[in-house]
Amino acid sequence: MLYFLKKYLQGPRYQKLNRLDGKVVIITGCNRGIGKEEMAKRGARVYMACRNYEKCEEARLEIIKQSKNLQVFNRSLDLSSLVSVKLFVEEFLKQEHSLHILINNAAIVTKKRQLSSDGYELQLATNHLGHFLLTYLLLDTLRSSGPSRIVTISSNAHILALLNKQDLQSEKSFIWFKAFLQSKFCNTLFTLKLAEILQDSLVTANCLYPGLVLTDLLYENTWCLFHPLLRFFAKSIKSGAQTAIYLALDPELENKSGGFYVDMKQSYMPPWVRNPHLAHWLWQESLKMVKLETL
């Protein structure tokens, strides 16, 4: 009985054998976590954008061994640094003229309030602002490469509607998990605004909640007494990657944008989440924070 419960909790698997030969993919934070080898196995040219070069190189060699695909590249990217994001994009565009899939996957959790090199709360800077700037700077390339896709790993934090416009950087009050959930809620709002901006293009933008996934990030930020329960109830890394793979690959989603997905199905977003005014406010605020002109 427990075996079948655990199997059920892992969720569905993406079974289609779509190939990605000739396609270019960027995945942030893929040295650990979400399905780091899947795109390479399908023949894509994969750029691994990671903060830790050594760990990324270790993962890159493992991916090459598993996939037999030599077109896997290790590129340094610190999403908490606006300079690092700009340098990454500059170097990428020197090598590639196309981008077909961008997976915004990287995330951090901090127990204490810390600031990025640009002076922003570190979780907001890494989980939202870095991905915001990265995506924004690559929009023209994504448009010219269409059909192309933007997939952002979010969470189900929007259920709690955690976005404090008066304290976006948690300066007045910092509760670590609340700040983390707010940064992930930003990922959802960012996706909604992206879908609106890109509606007349061949670029889609969707986000997802992978579920409770058994990554290092989860282990590092939970009390050790809960670890046996996590091992049972949490998804494996491979299971947690399935919805991201589905959004990146499935032909049926080529024209679907602005959705929030769980277990490879579009999930309901309540009105306070699908709020165009809030999404627009965050977009404009993010443009200011990354020092770009407003649209």
Side-chain angles (χ1 to χ4, degrees):
M1 189 69 175
L2 289 177
Y3 168 80
F4 291 107
L5 175 60
K6 185 173 177 61
K7 190 171 182 180
Y8 171 79
L9 292 171
Q10 295 302 302
R13 292 289 176 96
Y14 187 69
Q15 303 290 350
K16 296 179 184 178
L17 302 176
N18 317 50
R19 295 290 300 175
L20 291 172
D21 302 284
K23 303 296 185 182
V24 181
V25 179
I26 293 175
I27 310 176
T28 68
C30 58
N31 61 302
R32 66 178 187 179
I34 302 296
K36 59 193 179 189
E37 76 286 341
E38 194 64 37
M39 304 298 153
K41 283 182 177 179
R42 295 169 186 263
R45 194 154 63 252
V46 180
Y47 286 81
M48 303 174 66
C50 304
R51 181 177 53 178
N52 188 311
Y53 186 88
E54 289 74 21
K55 288 184 178 179
C56 191
E57 183 61 17
E58 183 180 333
R60 186 184 77 89
L61 295 174
E62 179 187 337
I63 290 170
I64 290 173
K65 183 178 179 180
Q66 290 181 356
S67 66
K68 307 296 187 292
N69 182 351
L70 299 178
Q71 299 184 96
V72 182
F73 308 104
N74 178 358
R75 296 292 182 265
S76 295
L77 173 61
D78 180 357
L79 284 161
S80 72
S81 165
L82 302 181
V83 171
S84 178
V85 174
K86 291 174 183 176
L87 285 174
F88 171 86
V89 173
E90 185 180 316
E91 291 302 312
F92 173 78
L93 294 178
K94 286 179 182 177
Q95 297 171 290
E96 299 288 350
H97 301 291
S98 300
L99 176 61
H100 303 96
I101 300 171
L102 170 62
I103 302 180
N104 293 320
N105 166 67
I108 65 163
V109 177
T110 61
K111 292 293 185 68
K112 295 181 180 179
R113 188 175 186 273
Q114 301 177 48
L115 297 181
S116 71
S117 57
D118 301 291
Y120 299 129
E121 193 275 316
L122 193 58
Q123 292 177 109
L124 182 74
T126 304
N127 302 348
H128 169 60
L129 288 175
H131 282 129
F132 174 89
L133 180 60
L134 175 69
T135 306
Y136 187 96
L137 295 176
L138 290 168
L139 280 181
D140 286 344
T141 307
L142 286 158
R143 283 190 178 104
S144 65
S145 307
S148 53
R149 304 184 185 194
I150 303 165
V151 178
T152 301
I153 314 300
S154 181
S155 80
N156 55 1
H158 58 245
I159 295 171
L160 304 174
L162 290 171
L163 186 69
N164 188 341
K165 293 167 70 173
Q166 283 71 47
D167 194 23
L168 189 61
Q169 294 197 65
S170 306
E171 295 173 283
K172 298 175 183 176
S173 172
F174 179 82
I175 301 171
W176 70 269
F177 63 86
K178 189 174 180 181
F180 172 75
L181 292 177
Q182 177 171 255
S183 73
K184 300 307 286 180
F185 184 23
C186 287
N187 293 153
T188 304
L189 292 171
F190 165 57
T191 299
L192 293 175
K193 187 63 179 179
L194 264 179
E196 177 190 328
I197 290 170
L198 296 168
Q199 61 185 337
D200 295 323
S201 73
L202 294 174
V203 187
T204 60
N206 291 291
C207 61
L208 66 117
Y209 173 52
L212 191 66
V213 183
L214 201 59
T215 61
D216 294 343
L217 188 69
L218 178 64
Y219 250 54
E220 289 165 5
N221 292 283
T222 52
W223 194 28
C224 63
L225 291 180
F226 288 114
H227 288 178
L229 288 174
L230 289 176
R231 284 192 174 277
F232 182 81
F233 286 103
K235 291 181 178 180
S236 68
I237 291 173
K238 187 170 184 177
S239 295
Q242 297 306 304
T243 302
I245 294 167
Y246 167 70
L247 290 178
L249 297 176
D250 199 86
E252 295 179 4
L253 297 174
E254 189 165 299
N255 299 310
K256 292 187 178 181
S257 193
F260 174 76
Y261 290 77
V262 180
D263 285 339
M264 293 170 47
K265 292 181 181 178
Q266 188 163 1
S267 183
Y268 171 73
M269 281 192 284
W272 61 83
V273 175
R274 195 174 280 282
N275 181 337
H277 303 294
L278 188 59
H280 179 75
W281 176 87
L282 179 65
W283 183 274
Q284 297 297 338
E285 194 67 20
S286 300
L287 283 172
K288 294 174 189 174
M289 293 175 81
V290 300
K291 301 174 176 60
L292 293 172
E293 293 182 4
T294 56
L295 294 176

